[in-house]
Amino acid sequence: MASFEDVFAAEFRPLYRYLRRRVGAAVAEDLAEAAFATAFASWERLDPARPARPWLYGIAANLLSRYWREERRMLRAYARSGVDPVLGEEDEAVARLDTDVDRRALAAALAELRPRDREILLLHAWVELSDSEIAAALSLPVGTVKSRLHRTRERLRNQLDSEGQVAVKPSNTPAEGQR
Amino acid sequence: MTGNDLQTLIDFRSEVEEPDEETAKRIYALATASTTWRSRGAERLRRSGRSRLVLGVAAVAVVIVPTAIAFGGKLVDVFEGSPAPPEISTTFTALNRMADSAIQQGIASKMPHADVSKAHGVIEIQTPDGPQDLWAAPSDQGGNCYFIDFANDPPGPTGKNGFSGCDPSPPPASNINWGEVWGPAHPDLLTIWGTVFVDGATVRVTLDNGSTLNLPVVEGLFLGSLTGSEDSLSSGEKVEKVTAFDAAGNQVAEDSTNPK
Protein backbone atom coordinates (compact mmCIF):
# COMPACT_ATOMS: atom_id res chain seq x y z
CA MET A 1 0.00 0.00 0.00
CA ALA A 2 1.34 3.44 -0.92
CA SER A 3 2.15 5.80 1.93
CA PHE A 4 0.13 8.94 2.56
CA GLU A 5 3.15 10.95 1.45
CA ASP A 6 3.29 9.09 -1.86
CA VAL A 7 -0.40 9.58 -2.50
CA PHE A 8 -0.18 13.26 -1.59
CA ALA A 9 2.73 13.70 -3.97
CA ALA A 10 0.84 12.00 -6.80
CA GLU A 11 -2.64 13.34 -6.22
CA PHE A 12 -2.42 16.75 -4.60
CA ARG A 13 -1.80 18.83 -7.72
CA PRO A 14 -4.46 17.25 -9.93
CA LEU A 15 -7.00 17.27 -7.11
CA TYR A 16 -6.28 20.89 -6.28
CA ARG A 17 -6.56 21.84 -9.93
CA TYR A 18 -9.85 19.97 -10.24
CA LEU A 19 -11.22 21.85 -7.24
CA ARG A 20 -10.02 25.15 -8.71
CA ARG A 21 -11.82 24.41 -11.94
CA ARG A 22 -14.96 23.67 -10.01
CA VAL A 23 -15.15 26.49 -7.47
CA GLY A 24 -12.17 28.81 -7.90
CA ALA A 25 -8.88 29.21 -6.12
CA ALA A 26 -10.11 30.72 -2.85
CA VAL A 27 -12.41 27.85 -1.92
CA ALA A 28 -10.24 25.20 -3.59
CA GLU A 29 -7.39 25.71 -1.16
CA ASP A 30 -9.62 25.13 1.84
CA LEU A 31 -11.25 22.12 0.23
CA ALA A 32 -7.94 20.56 -0.79
CA GLU A 33 -6.64 20.98 2.73
CA ALA A 34 -9.81 19.50 4.19
CA ALA A 35 -9.77 16.58 1.79
CA PHE A 36 -6.20 15.63 2.59
CA ALA A 37 -6.64 16.22 6.30
CA THR A 38 -9.62 13.86 6.26
CA ALA A 39 -7.60 11.35 4.27
CA PHE A 40 -4.67 11.67 6.67
CA ALA A 41 -6.88 11.18 9.71
CA SER A 42 -8.50 8.11 8.14
CA TRP A 43 -5.38 6.67 6.55
CA GLU A 44 -4.93 3.74 8.89
CA ARG A 45 -8.52 2.68 8.25
CA LEU A 46 -8.19 2.66 4.47
CA ASP A 47 -8.45 -0.80 3.02
CA PRO A 48 -5.01 -1.48 1.48
CA ALA A 49 -6.72 -3.13 -1.46
CA ARG A 50 -8.79 -0.05 -2.17
CA PRO A 51 -7.30 2.45 -4.64
CA ALA A 52 -6.68 5.79 -2.99
CA ARG A 53 -7.57 7.97 -5.97
CA PRO A 54 -11.35 7.37 -6.12
CA TRP A 55 -11.48 7.49 -2.35
CA LEU A 56 -9.80 10.91 -2.34
CA TYR A 57 -12.16 12.27 -4.97
CA GLY A 58 -15.06 10.87 -2.97
CA ILE A 59 -13.93 12.90 0.02
CA ALA A 60 -13.57 15.93 -2.22
CA ALA A 61 -17.05 15.36 -3.66
CA ASN A 62 -18.50 15.34 -0.16
CA LEU A 63 -16.80 18.63 0.58
CA LEU A 64 -17.76 20.12 -2.77
CA SER A 65 -21.41 19.23 -2.25
CA ARG A 66 -21.67 22.15 0.13
CA TYR A 67 -20.66 24.53 -2.63
CA TRP A 68 -23.06 23.58 -5.39
CA ARG A 69 -24.84 26.92 -5.15
CA GLU A 70 -21.61 28.87 -5.46
CA GLU A 71 -20.56 26.71 -8.38
CA ARG A 72 -23.90 27.25 -10.09
CA ARG A 73 -23.75 30.97 -9.43
CA MET A 74 -20.31 31.22 -11.04
CA LEU A 75 -21.34 29.15 -14.06
CA ARG A 76 -24.44 31.28 -14.59
CA ALA A 77 -22.43 34.46 -14.18
CA TYR A 78 -19.99 33.30 -16.83
CA ALA A 79 -22.80 32.30 -19.18
CA ARG A 80 -24.46 35.67 -18.78
CA SER A 81 -21.48 37.99 -18.78
CA GLY A 82 -18.75 36.17 -20.68
CA VAL A 83 -16.42 36.71 -17.72
CA ASP A 84 -15.60 33.50 -15.88
CA PRO A 85 -15.32 34.22 -12.15
CA VAL A 86 -13.12 31.16 -11.72
CA LEU A 87 -10.53 32.42 -14.18
CA GLY A 88 -10.88 36.02 -13.11
CA GLU A 89 -10.19 34.99 -9.54
CA GLU A 90 -7.19 33.03 -10.69
CA ASP A 91 -5.53 35.92 -12.43
CA GLU A 92 -6.96 39.33 -13.10
CA ALA A 93 -5.19 39.40 -16.44
CA VAL A 94 -7.26 36.46 -17.55
CA ALA A 95 -10.53 38.08 -16.52
CA ARG A 96 -11.52 38.87 -20.02
CA LEU A 97 -14.74 38.95 -21.91
CA ASP A 98 -15.07 35.52 -23.41
CA THR A 99 -16.74 35.55 -26.80
CA ASP A 100 -16.66 31.77 -27.16
CA VAL A 101 -20.36 31.05 -27.28
CA ASP A 102 -19.82 27.30 -27.01
CA ARG A 103 -18.10 27.69 -23.69
CA ARG A 104 -20.75 30.07 -22.40
CA ALA A 105 -23.53 27.76 -23.52
CA LEU A 106 -21.72 24.89 -21.87
CA ALA A 107 -21.42 26.87 -18.65
CA ALA A 108 -25.15 27.56 -18.75
CA ALA A 109 -25.91 23.90 -19.33
CA LEU A 110 -23.57 22.77 -16.55
CA ALA A 111 -25.19 25.22 -14.17
CA GLU A 112 -28.58 23.60 -14.64
CA LEU A 113 -27.43 20.04 -13.99
CA ARG A 114 -28.25 18.41 -10.71
CA PRO A 115 -25.19 18.67 -8.44
CA ARG A 116 -24.60 14.91 -8.32
CA ASP A 117 -24.94 14.60 -12.11
CA ARG A 118 -22.46 17.44 -12.56
CA GLU A 119 -20.09 15.65 -10.19
CA ILE A 120 -20.29 12.42 -12.17
CA LEU A 121 -19.83 14.19 -15.50
CA LEU A 122 -16.83 16.23 -14.36
CA LEU A 123 -15.12 13.30 -12.66
CA HIS A 124 -15.49 11.55 -16.00
CA ALA A 125 -14.38 14.43 -18.23
CA TRP A 126 -11.85 16.29 -16.11
CA VAL A 127 -10.38 13.61 -13.86
CA GLU A 128 -10.83 10.76 -16.32
CA LEU A 129 -12.05 8.38 -13.65
CA SER A 130 -13.60 5.20 -15.02
CA ASP A 131 -17.23 4.37 -14.33
CA SER A 132 -16.21 1.93 -11.62
CA GLU A 133 -13.88 4.49 -10.05
CA ILE A 134 -16.66 7.09 -10.03
CA ALA A 135 -18.95 4.51 -8.47
CA ALA A 136 -16.38 3.83 -5.77
CA ALA A 137 -15.82 7.53 -5.17
CA LEU A 138 -19.49 8.39 -4.80
CA SER A 139 -20.66 5.11 -3.24
CA LEU A 140 -23.01 4.42 -6.12
CA PRO A 141 -23.62 1.23 -8.10
CA VAL A 142 -21.66 1.15 -11.36
CA GLY A 143 -24.90 0.78 -13.30
CA THR A 144 -26.24 3.97 -11.75
CA VAL A 145 -23.10 5.84 -12.76
CA LYS A 146 -23.35 4.55 -16.32
CA SER A 147 -27.00 5.47 -16.69
CA ARG A 148 -26.66 8.88 -15.07
CA LEU A 149 -23.60 9.69 -17.14
CA HIS A 150 -25.42 8.68 -20.30
CA ARG A 151 -28.49 10.71 -19.36
CA THR A 152 -26.44 13.74 -18.40
CA ARG A 153 -24.49 13.67 -21.65
CA GLU A 154 -27.73 13.34 -23.59
CA ARG A 155 -29.16 16.30 -21.75
CA LEU A 156 -26.11 18.42 -22.42
CA ARG A 157 -26.11 17.44 -26.07
CA ASN A 158 -29.73 18.43 -26.45
CA GLN A 159 -29.09 21.79 -24.87
CA LEU A 160 -25.93 22.50 -26.82
CA ASP A 161 -27.44 21.30 -30.09
CA SER A 162 -30.21 23.84 -29.84
CA GLU A 163 -27.77 26.42 -31.25
CA GLY A 164 -26.53 27.27 -27.80
CA GLN A 165 -29.91 28.76 -26.94
CA VAL A 166 -29.56 27.83 -23.32
CA ALA A 167 -31.73 29.67 -20.87
CA VAL A 168 -29.71 31.11 -18.04
CA LYS A 169 -31.57 31.58 -14.83
CA PRO A 170 -30.29 34.61 -12.99
CA SER A 171 -30.44 34.58 -9.22
CA ASN A 172 -32.67 37.57 -8.65
CA THR A 173 -33.95 38.69 -12.00
CA PRO A 174 -36.43 37.25 -14.45
CA ALA A 175 -35.13 34.57 -16.78
CA GLU A 176 -33.20 35.79 -19.72
CA GLY A 177 -31.84 34.14 -22.82
CA GLN A 178 -28.25 33.48 -23.60
CA ARG A 179 -27.02 34.96 -26.89
CA MET B 1 -23.15 14.88 -26.37
CA THR B 2 -20.97 14.77 -29.46
CA GLY B 3 -17.22 14.32 -29.56
CA ASN B 4 -16.83 18.04 -30.12
CA ASP B 5 -19.04 18.82 -27.18
CA LEU B 6 -17.08 16.45 -24.98
CA GLN B 7 -13.85 18.08 -26.08
CA THR B 8 -15.33 21.48 -25.26
CA LEU B 9 -16.14 20.16 -21.81
CA ILE B 10 -12.67 18.67 -21.35
CA ASP B 11 -11.12 21.98 -22.41
CA PHE B 12 -13.43 24.06 -20.23
CA ARG B 13 -11.26 25.97 -17.73
CA SER B 14 -8.30 23.83 -18.73
CA GLU B 15 -6.15 26.96 -18.50
CA VAL B 16 -6.34 26.66 -14.72
CA GLU B 17 -2.84 25.75 -13.58
CA GLU B 18 -1.66 23.31 -11.00
CA PRO B 19 -0.51 24.79 -7.67
CA ASP B 20 3.14 25.55 -7.03
CA GLU B 21 5.50 23.76 -4.69
CA GLU B 22 5.04 26.27 -1.91
CA THR B 23 1.29 25.71 -1.91
CA ALA B 24 1.78 21.95 -1.87
CA LYS B 25 4.09 22.18 1.14
CA ARG B 26 1.72 24.48 2.99
CA ILE B 27 -1.29 22.25 2.40
CA TYR B 28 0.66 19.16 3.37
CA ALA B 29 1.69 20.76 6.66
CA LEU B 30 -1.86 21.86 7.42
CA ALA B 31 -3.44 18.56 6.40
CA THR B 32 -1.13 16.54 8.61
CA ALA B 33 -1.42 18.91 11.57
CA SER B 34 -3.90 16.59 13.29
CA THR B 35 -1.13 14.13 14.20
CA THR B 36 -1.71 14.59 17.92
CA TRP B 37 -5.31 13.52 17.69
CA ARG B 38 -4.48 10.66 15.41
CA SER B 39 -1.68 9.27 17.51
CA ARG B 40 -3.76 9.52 20.68
CA GLY B 41 -6.56 7.57 19.05
CA ALA B 42 -4.20 4.97 17.64
CA GLU B 43 -2.46 4.58 20.97
CA ARG B 44 -5.78 4.09 22.73
CA LEU B 45 -6.70 1.42 20.18
CA ARG B 46 -3.45 -0.45 20.73
CA ARG B 47 -3.78 -0.38 24.50
CA SER B 48 -7.40 -1.25 24.98
CA GLY B 49 -8.51 -4.28 23.00
CA ARG B 50 -12.01 -3.51 24.27
CA SER B 51 -15.40 -4.29 22.82
CA ARG B 52 -16.53 -3.42 19.30
CA LEU B 53 -18.27 -0.32 20.56
CA VAL B 54 -15.16 0.99 22.24
CA LEU B 55 -13.07 0.23 19.21
CA GLY B 56 -15.63 2.13 17.21
CA VAL B 57 -15.34 5.05 19.56
CA ALA B 58 -11.60 5.17 19.26
CA ALA B 59 -11.67 4.85 15.51
CA VAL B 60 -14.26 7.53 15.07
CA ALA B 61 -12.48 9.77 17.54
CA VAL B 62 -9.69 9.92 15.03
CA VAL B 63 -11.98 10.89 12.22
CA ILE B 64 -14.59 13.05 13.83
CA VAL B 65 -12.36 15.78 15.18
CA PRO B 66 -14.30 18.92 14.34
CA THR B 67 -12.82 20.64 11.37
CA ALA B 68 -12.15 23.88 13.15
CA ILE B 69 -9.53 22.15 15.24
CA ALA B 70 -8.41 19.28 13.11
CA PHE B 71 -7.42 21.45 10.25
CA GLY B 72 -5.60 24.08 12.22
CA GLY B 73 -8.54 26.43 12.20
CA LYS B 74 -8.42 26.71 8.43
CA LEU B 75 -11.77 25.04 7.98
CA VAL B 76 -13.45 27.70 10.01
CA ASP B 77 -13.62 29.41 6.63
CA VAL B 78 -15.35 26.40 5.18
CA PHE B 79 -17.97 25.66 7.79
CA GLU B 80 -17.86 27.55 11.07
CA GLY B 81 -19.68 30.82 10.60
CA SER B 82 -21.03 29.88 7.20
CA PRO B 83 -24.64 31.06 6.79
CA ALA B 84 -27.24 28.34 7.05
CA PRO B 85 -28.55 27.18 3.66
CA PRO B 86 -32.29 27.47 2.99
CA GLU B 87 -33.09 23.93 4.12
CA ILE B 88 -31.51 24.62 7.52
CA SER B 89 -33.19 28.02 7.90
CA THR B 90 -36.47 26.33 7.01
CA THR B 91 -35.88 23.84 9.78
CA PHE B 92 -35.27 26.56 12.38
CA THR B 93 -38.39 28.35 11.16
CA ALA B 94 -40.41 25.16 11.54
CA LEU B 95 -39.07 24.72 15.07
CA ASN B 96 -40.16 28.27 15.91
CA ARG B 97 -43.64 27.47 14.60
CA MET B 98 -43.75 24.39 16.81
CA ALA B 99 -42.81 26.57 19.80
CA ASP B 100 -45.62 29.01 18.92
CA SER B 101 -48.05 26.13 18.61
CA ALA B 102 -47.02 24.69 21.98
CA ILE B 103 -47.58 28.06 23.63
CA GLN B 104 -50.95 28.57 21.92
CA GLN B 105 -52.10 25.14 23.05
CA GLY B 106 -51.08 25.86 26.62
CA ILE B 107 -48.40 23.17 26.65
CA ALA B 108 -45.86 25.77 27.78
CA SER B 109 -46.08 29.40 28.88
CA LYS B 110 -42.90 30.32 27.09
CA MET B 111 -40.54 28.57 24.75
CA PRO B 112 -37.31 29.73 23.15
CA HIS B 113 -37.28 30.93 19.55
CA ALA B 114 -34.28 30.98 17.26
CA ASP B 115 -33.16 34.08 15.39
CA VAL B 116 -33.26 32.36 12.00
CA SER B 117 -31.50 35.25 10.28
CA LYS B 118 -28.37 34.44 12.28
CA ALA B 119 -28.37 30.68 11.83
CA HIS B 120 -24.90 29.50 10.95
CA GLY B 121 -22.64 26.47 10.90
CA VAL B 122 -20.59 25.73 13.99
CA ILE B 123 -19.07 22.25 13.76
CA GLU B 124 -18.79 19.66 11.05
CA ILE B 125 -17.51 16.19 11.80
CA GLN B 126 -16.88 13.28 9.48
CA THR B 127 -18.76 10.08 10.34
CA PRO B 128 -19.07 6.76 8.52
CA ASP B 129 -22.39 8.12 7.18
CA GLY B 130 -20.79 11.28 5.82
CA PRO B 131 -20.51 14.76 7.29
CA GLN B 132 -22.61 15.57 10.34
CA ASP B 133 -23.23 19.25 11.00
CA LEU B 134 -24.16 21.30 14.04
CA TRP B 135 -25.93 24.56 13.21
CA ALA B 136 -26.77 27.25 15.76
CA ALA B 137 -28.90 30.38 15.96
CA PRO B 138 -29.21 32.77 18.91
CA SER B 139 -32.14 32.02 21.21
CA ASP B 140 -34.39 34.85 22.34
CA GLN B 141 -34.02 33.46 25.86
CA GLY B 142 -30.24 33.52 25.88
CA GLY B 143 -27.74 31.04 24.56
CA ASN B 144 -28.40 29.17 21.34
CA CYS B 145 -30.89 27.00 19.59
CA TYR B 146 -29.13 24.32 17.61
CA PHE B 147 -29.87 21.74 14.97
CA ILE B 148 -27.82 18.66 14.05
CA ASP B 149 -28.18 16.91 10.74
CA PHE B 150 -26.36 14.63 8.37
CA ALA B 151 -25.29 16.69 5.37
CA ASN B 152 -26.11 13.97 2.87
CA ASP B 153 -29.68 13.43 4.06
CA PRO B 154 -32.18 14.99 1.63
CA PRO B 155 -34.37 17.84 2.91
CA GLY B 156 -38.15 17.54 3.18
CA PRO B 157 -40.82 20.22 2.80
CA THR B 158 -40.31 21.51 6.36
CA GLY B 159 -36.56 21.29 6.31
CA LYS B 160 -34.25 18.45 7.21
CA ASN B 161 -34.59 15.62 9.64
CA GLY B 162 -32.25 15.90 12.58
CA PHE B 163 -31.92 16.63 16.26
CA SER B 164 -32.72 20.03 17.70
CA GLY B 165 -33.00 21.93 20.96
CA CYS B 166 -32.26 25.19 22.74
CA ASP B 167 -30.02 25.99 25.67
CA PRO B 168 -31.85 26.00 29.00
CA SER B 169 -32.35 29.34 30.69
CA PRO B 170 -30.85 29.75 33.21
CA PRO B 171 -27.96 27.35 32.54
CA PRO B 172 -27.75 24.21 34.69
CA ALA B 173 -25.74 24.39 37.90
CA SER B 174 -23.11 22.10 36.36
CA ASN B 175 -22.57 24.59 33.50
CA ILE B 176 -22.80 21.75 30.98
CA ASN B 177 -25.92 20.73 29.09
CA TRP B 178 -25.58 17.67 26.91
CA GLY B 179 -27.52 14.96 25.17
CA GLU B 180 -27.08 11.72 23.28
CA VAL B 181 -29.43 10.48 20.62
CA TRP B 182 -29.80 7.57 18.25
CA GLY B 183 -32.01 7.57 15.16
CA PRO B 184 -33.18 4.80 12.83
CA ALA B 185 -31.93 6.62 9.74
CA HIS B 186 -28.35 6.17 10.97
CA PRO B 187 -28.60 3.02 13.07
CA ASP B 188 -24.88 2.55 13.66
CA LEU B 189 -24.22 5.99 15.08
CA LEU B 190 -24.86 7.60 18.43
CA THR B 191 -24.67 11.39 18.42
CA ILE B 192 -23.41 13.27 21.45
CA TRP B 193 -23.69 17.03 21.65
CA GLY B 194 -23.90 19.75 24.22
CA THR B 195 -23.14 23.25 25.45
CA VAL B 196 -20.49 24.40 27.90
CA PHE B 197 -21.63 27.58 29.65
CA VAL B 198 -18.21 28.56 30.94
CA ASP B 199 -15.01 29.17 29.00
CA GLY B 200 -14.27 25.63 27.89
CA ALA B 201 -11.87 24.64 25.14
CA THR B 202 -12.42 20.88 25.18
CA VAL B 203 -14.68 18.29 26.73
CA ARG B 204 -13.91 14.76 27.75
CA VAL B 205 -16.83 12.38 27.31
CA THR B 206 -16.52 9.38 29.63
CA LEU B 207 -18.41 6.26 28.58
CA ASP B 208 -19.91 3.82 31.02
CA ASN B 209 -17.11 1.33 30.32
CA GLY B 210 -14.48 3.86 31.34
CA SER B 211 -13.17 4.80 27.92
CA THR B 212 -13.06 8.47 26.96
CA LEU B 213 -13.55 10.65 23.92
CA ASN B 214 -12.06 14.15 23.73
CA LEU B 215 -13.86 16.78 21.68
CA PRO B 216 -13.12 20.43 20.97
CA VAL B 217 -15.58 23.11 22.04
CA VAL B 218 -16.49 25.63 19.33
CA GLU B 219 -18.64 28.65 20.21
CA GLY B 220 -19.47 26.85 23.45
CA LEU B 221 -20.79 23.80 21.59
CA PHE B 222 -19.43 20.33 21.02
CA LEU B 223 -20.42 17.42 18.78
CA GLY B 224 -19.27 13.82 18.62
CA SER B 225 -20.33 10.46 17.24
CA LEU B 226 -19.91 6.90 18.43
CA THR B 227 -20.16 3.82 16.28
CA GLY B 228 -21.46 0.43 17.26
CA SER B 229 -24.14 -2.10 16.47
CA GLU B 230 -27.76 -0.99 16.43
CA ASP B 231 -28.52 -3.04 19.52
CA SER B 232 -25.66 -1.68 21.55
CA LEU B 233 -26.50 1.91 20.74
CA SER B 234 -30.25 1.80 21.07
CA SER B 235 -30.47 -0.15 24.29
CA GLY B 236 -29.31 2.34 26.85
CA GLU B 237 -27.08 5.24 27.63
CA LYS B 238 -23.43 4.91 26.95
CA VAL B 239 -22.21 8.24 28.30
CA GLU B 240 -21.50 8.47 32.02
CA LYS B 241 -20.26 12.02 32.34
CA VAL B 242 -18.99 15.03 30.41
CA THR B 243 -16.08 17.09 31.75
CA ALA B 244 -15.02 20.46 30.35
CA PHE B 245 -11.51 21.90 30.40
CA ASP B 246 -10.19 25.36 29.61
CA ALA B 247 -7.39 26.05 27.15
CA ALA B 248 -4.80 25.48 29.89
CA GLY B 249 -6.22 22.05 30.64
CA ASN B 250 -7.89 22.98 33.90
CA GLN B 251 -11.25 21.37 34.64
CA VAL B 252 -13.95 24.05 34.55
CA ALA B 253 -17.18 22.02 34.66
CA GLU B 254 -18.53 18.49 34.90
CA ASP B 255 -21.95 16.93 34.52
CA SER B 256 -22.82 13.33 35.25
CA THR B 257 -26.59 13.60 35.24
CA ASN B 258 -28.70 11.79 32.70
CA PRO B 259 -28.79 13.52 29.34
CA LYS B 260 -31.69 15.86 28.68
Side-chain angles (χ1 to χ4, degrees):
Chain A
M1 179 184 175
S3 67
F4 176 80
E5 290 72 20
D6 291 340
V7 170
F8 184 91
E11 299 295 345
F12 170 69
R13 285 177 176 78
L15 177 64
Y16 190 111
R17 182 169 179 260
Y18 173 69
L19 293 169
R20 273 187 174 184
R21 292 175 78 178
R22 294 287 302 272
V23 289
V27 174
E29 180 154 338
D30 282 341
L31 294 185
E33 179 192 328
F36 280 101
T38 302
F40 184 70
S42 313
W43 193 253
E44 290 173 1
R45 296 170 57 225
L46 177 65
D47 180 353
R50 187 177 177 185
R53 194 160 196 242
W55 177 65
L56 266 178
Y57 279 89
I59 294 171
N62 260 337
L63 294 165
L64 269 170
S65 65
R66 194 170 308 288
Y67 287 87
W68 68 270
R69 288 184 188 83
E70 285 82 353
E71 183 176 26
R72 184 178 64 181
R73 179 181 56 74
M74 287 194 283
L75 287 166
R76 285 178 176 175
Y78 173 40
R80 279 200 305 275
S81 68
V83 177
D84 190 343
V86 164
L87 300 181
E89 184 187 44
E90 184 109 334
D91 178 356
E92 285 304 318
V94 188
R96 64 197 185 281
L97 184 65
D98 194 334
T99 55
D100 185 334
V101 291
D102 287 343
R103 286 169 57 114
R104 293 173 63 181
L106 177 62
L110 285 173
E112 302 316 314
L113 292 179
R114 291 190 304 184
R116 183 48 66 94
D117 290 343
R118 187 162 60 229
E119 186 75 53
I120 291 172
L121 181 68
L122 295 182
L123 285 174
H124 167 77
W126 287 359
V127 188
E128 297 180 348
L129 291 186
S130 67
D131 292 349
S132 59
E133 287 175 323
I134 295 171
L138 303 181
S139 300
L140 294 171
V142 177
T144 302
V145 170
K146 286 179 187 292
S147 62
R148 288 173 75 165
L149 189 55
H150 177 76
R151 193 173 61 226
T152 303
R153 291 181 64 171
E154 282 285 307
R155 186 176 168 193
L156 275 184
R157 183 175 64 193
N158 291 339
Q159 289 185 269
L160 296 174
D161 280 354
S162 59
E163 299 178 65
Q165 303 287 340
V166 179
V168 180
K169 297 176 185 171
S171 323
N172 300 312
T173 57
E176 64 185 44
Q178 171 63 27
R179 289 210 325 175
Chain B
M1 196 171 198
T2 65
N4 284 343
D5 293 337
L6 181 59
Q7 193 57 49
T8 302
L9 176 60
I10 290 169
D11 292 341
F12 188 64
R13 292 175 177 165
S14 59
E15 53 270 66
V16 169
E17 295 177 356
E18 291 191 345
D20 56 23
E21 186 64 23
E22 186 184 332
T23 303
K25 285 180 178 172
R26 185 174 66 251
I27 299 293
Y28 182 86
L30 290 167
T32 55
S34 58
T35 304
T36 306
W37 288 88
R38 180 167 169 266
S39 58
R40 281 179 189 164
E43 181 63 25
R44 196 159 50 233
L45 265 173
R46 279 195 292 274
R47 281 204 309 261
S48 66
R50 290 174 180 147
S51 68
R52 179 173 182 268
L53 173 65
V54 180
L55 287 170
V57 170
V60 172
V62 177
V63 179
I64 65 174
V65 179
T67 53
I69 299 298
F71 306 132
K74 203 70 168 69
L75 270 205
V76 167
D77 295 336
V78 175
F79 189 77
E80 189 193 355
S82 60
E87 61 268 29
I88 300 298
S89 297
T90 302
T91 304
F92 276 111
T93 302
L95 293 171
N96 283 346
R97 278 201 211 99
M98 289 169 62
D100 290 335
S101 176
I103 293 169
Q104 286 165 8
Q105 294 175 30
I107 298 171
S109 59
K110 65 173 187 176
M111 288 192 77
H113 288 69
D115 181 347
V116 180
S117 68
K118 294 180 180 171
H120 63 282
V122 179
I123 300 171
E124 177 171 271
I125 61 175
Q126 294 296 326
T127 78
D129 289 7
Q132 189 177 25
D133 298 336
L134 189 156
W135 306 89
S139 165
D140 61 2
Q141 294 184 19
N144 285 309
C145 291
Y146 44 84
F147 177 71
I148 300 166
D149 74 314
F150 287 84
N152 295 337
D153 286 357
T158 57
K160 294 193 70 171
N161 289 324
F163 322 121
S164 61
C166 296
D167 288 331
S169 179
S174 67
N175 280 319
I176 298 179
N177 185 58
W178 60 280
E180 55 179 333
V181 68
W182 170 89
H186 300 275
D188 290 332
L189 298 179
L190 181 72
T191 297
I192 302 165
W193 82 94
T195 303
V196 178
F197 293 90
V198 289
D199 191 17
T202 61
V203 293
R204 183 179 63 212
V205 177
T206 304
L207 305 186
D208 57 7
N209 57 16
S211 61
T212 60
L213 175 67
N214 295 313
L215 300 169
V217 175
V218 181
E219 296 183 27
L221 297 157
F222 59 91
L223 175 67
S225 181
L226 305 180
T227 61
S229 69
E230 180 174 351
D231 287 344
S232 68
L233 293 180
S234 59
S235 62
E237 294 165 8
K238 300 299 177 189
V239 178
E240 184 177 286
K241 65 180 177 183
V242 177
T243 310
F245 301 89
D246 64 14
N250 302 310
Q251 180 175 325
V252 291
E254 186 170 271
D255 191 288
S256 56
T257 58
N258 289 334
K260 284 71 185 173

